[in-house]
Amino acid sequence: MRTGRLIGAGRTADVYEAGAEWVLRRDREGAGDAVAEGAVMEHVRAHGYPVPRVRPGTTRSPRTELVMERLSGPTMLRACLDGALTPQDAGGLLAGLLRLLHGVPAHRSTGSGVRVLHLDLHPDNVILTADGPRVIDWSNAEEGDPGLDWGTSAVILAQVAAVGGPMAGPAAVMLAALLADPSALTPDGLAEALRRRAANPTMSPDEVAALPAAEELIRPHLG
């Protein structure tokens, strides 16, 4: 598929224009599975979850390239940085998106309590469109206990708060708002989220070193 200009870049992928209504995300590492990712997105969208539309079967490299709906609007992170959204509201919105996702039945599994998990739901993976939020980047999605999803989002925010810098304070507020309502965060979910973050090759040394402090920020919310 012919692509236009580069319009976004993450830790492992780049996003290009693919016409007026679509974008192409290309995995830079060659280790993704865009077919499986697209299938999960279509599954949750069929159950009313806010994700971009996917256009399957339109690339020469279906395992590493995914064509999806082009969204217009800032990320939740950008909206917070610009003052259009408070960190407290951002944390509450993330909590609502997690609860909504875990109401979607599993795609393949049949075990009791098993749900679709995003496993990377944070403010830079939510686009605030005129029609409401849309959740992007489902490359880590799998099925399992919702506690792991809550733990992963909490650890991501707590790492930012623990590392320091201009986003440390807002991230701490988001974390408190994320876990303010009764959540499905569990000790086992937190422990597994910490283990996975420590083993994640995209983590910087500072991010890994911040994990013990991040855990200390989260534990009071376990109840």
Side-chain angles (χ1 to χ4, degrees):
M1 154 175 263
R2 295 185 63 182
T3 58
R5 66 185 178 93
L6 178 71
I7 57 175
R11 295 194 189 213
T12 62
D14 299 310
V15 180
Y16 298 87
E17 290 180 332
E21 297 183 6
W22 304 92
V23 296
L24 180 142
R25 197 205 63 209
R26 179 173 292 144
D27 182 2
R28 216 181 297 120
E29 307 296 325
D33 188 347
V35 173
E37 183 177 353
V40 171
M41 292 173 69
E42 286 296 277
H43 171 72
V44 299
R45 192 171 76 87
H47 286 82
Y49 197 75
V51 298
R53 290 175 293 140
V54 172
R55 198 169 76 181
T58 52
T59 74
R60 294 180 179 179
S61 304
R63 292 288 171 184
T64 58
E65 296 182 344
L66 182 65
V67 177
M68 68 187 94
E69 178 185 4
R70 185 169 186 169
L71 302 174
S72 179
T75 65
M76 181 187 291
L77 176 59
R78 173 47 57 191
C80 286
L81 290 172
D82 291 345
L85 184 70
T86 69
Q88 184 170 4
D89 286 344
L93 181 55
L94 286 174
L97 288 169
L98 283 171
R99 283 193 291 270
L100 184 62
L101 177 60
H102 301 151
V104 175
H107 187 205
R108 295 185 175 89
S109 303
T110 58
S112 175
V114 174
R115 292 292 184 268
V116 177
L117 312 180
H118 185 278
L119 297 180
D120 200 21
L121 187 55
H122 58 74
D124 219 19
N125 278 339
V126 180
I127 307 293
L128 302 178
T129 76
D131 297 322
R134 296 289 184 273
V135 177
I136 62 171
D137 196 353
W138 292 76
S139 57
N140 291 341
E142 59 183 67
E143 296 181 356
D145 190 317
L148 176 57
D149 225 0
W150 284 89
T152 301
S153 291
V155 169
I156 292 170
L157 293 176
Q159 278 180 287
V160 176
V163 166
M167 281 302 297
V173 174
M174 287 184 210
L175 176 66
L178 173 74
L179 301 176
D181 291 330
S183 74
L185 179 66
T186 63
D188 287 347
L190 175 58
E192 178 62 9
L194 289 164
R195 185 194 69 77
R196 293 190 183 201
R197 292 292 283 180
N200 188 330
T202 70
M203 293 291 96
S204 70
D206 286 346
E207 287 173 317
V208 174
L211 284 171
E215 181 179 4
E216 290 304 309
L217 290 174
I218 297 167
R219 285 210 168 271
H221 298 283
L222 282 170

